[in-house]
Structure formats: structure tokens, C-alpha cells
Amino acid sequence: MNEMALNSSHDIFLDGDHIARIHSMAKKVRQAVHCLLKTEEGEAFTNAEHGVPWLEEIAGLPVPHLDVAQRIIREKIEAVKGVKNVISIDLDTDGRNLTGKFSVQSMDGETVAGEF
């Protein structure tokens, strides 16, 4: 993977006049998982399976059924290139908004964590 680095706004990060690249496997995996989680399934015209079915399957789930959302998110993250396994996914809701944290192990053995 020769990935372009994205800044905190998810725009292409420029290093002077050049596009910055990510060389660490762990950083590539973290960025790929974040991009997956910020995309609605079907939104990316180049790959209709990329993303999470937030509106189709997760939005509107009753709080007692967050395990269903967790299973869907886990399956999506496991399919990301460079992810060896998903260590944990923690979801929280205030009844209206869903937030979460993830922890995965990249193929090089490093642990990668993030929030969404």
C-alpha cells in the first residue's frame, strides 16, 4: 500500500509542494479504518461495498441491539486491507448519536486504536 496521507479534515496532506505518503503499516491501517467508518456503504462510486451501512442497517437500532451494530462494524473492519484482527470495538450512544472506539492489530503486529 502506497497511501496518500490525509490531514485531520481528511483532505490530502501536502508536505511542501508534494503529497505526503504514509510508510508505516500501522498508520495506513488506522487511516483506512477511519475512512471506512466515515463512509456510508455505497457512497464510494469506485467500490459500492466500501463503507458502513449506517443509514441502511445501523441507524434506528434500539440501544439494546448495539451488539448488531458492533457485529456489522467488526465485519467491515476485518475486511480492511492490512488488518490482522479486531481487538475491540466499543460503542456508546446518548439515544441519538452513536460514538465508538476501535482497536485493531495490523499485519505487522502493531496495535492501532482510534475513535469515531
Side-chain angles (χ1 to χ4, degrees):
M1 292 191 300
N2 187 10
E3 302 290 327
M4 293 183 287
L6 302 179
N7 64 19
S8 60
S9 299
H10 292 271
D11 291 325
I12 295 172
F13 181 73
L14 296 176
D15 185 16
D17 293 335
H18 305 291
I19 295 173
R21 299 282 179 182
I22 301 175
H23 301 289
S24 160
M25 173 63 78
K27 288 181 181 178
K28 290 176 186 178
V29 167
R30 184 174 188 270
Q31 180 171 291
V33 171
H34 272 120
C35 288
L36 172 85
L37 294 171
K38 291 187 176 285
T39 306
E40 172 67 30
E41 186 177 66
E43 181 180 1
F45 68 91
T46 57
N47 182 355
E49 294 179 9
H50 178 77
V52 177
W54 296 112
L55 299 173
E56 192 74 26
E57 296 181 35
I58 296 176
L61 280 173
V63 175
H65 295 293
L66 286 182
D67 59 321
V68 174
Q70 191 174 32
R71 179 186 51 78
I72 293 167
I73 294 167
R74 177 179 293 275
E75 289 172 0
K76 288 295 199 167
I77 292 175
E78 286 173 342
V80 171
K81 185 176 179 182
V83 171
K84 186 173 185 178
N85 66 345
V86 177
I87 297 168
S88 67
I89 298 172
D90 298 315
L91 300 178
D92 191 28
T93 184
D94 60 7
R96 180 172 174 86
N97 300 302
L98 179 70
T99 59
K101 296 179 182 179
F102 67 87
S103 180
V104 301
Q105 183 179 30
S106 63
M107 289 297 188
D108 64 357
E110 287 194 52
T111 300
V112 179
E115 297 180 7
F116 59 97

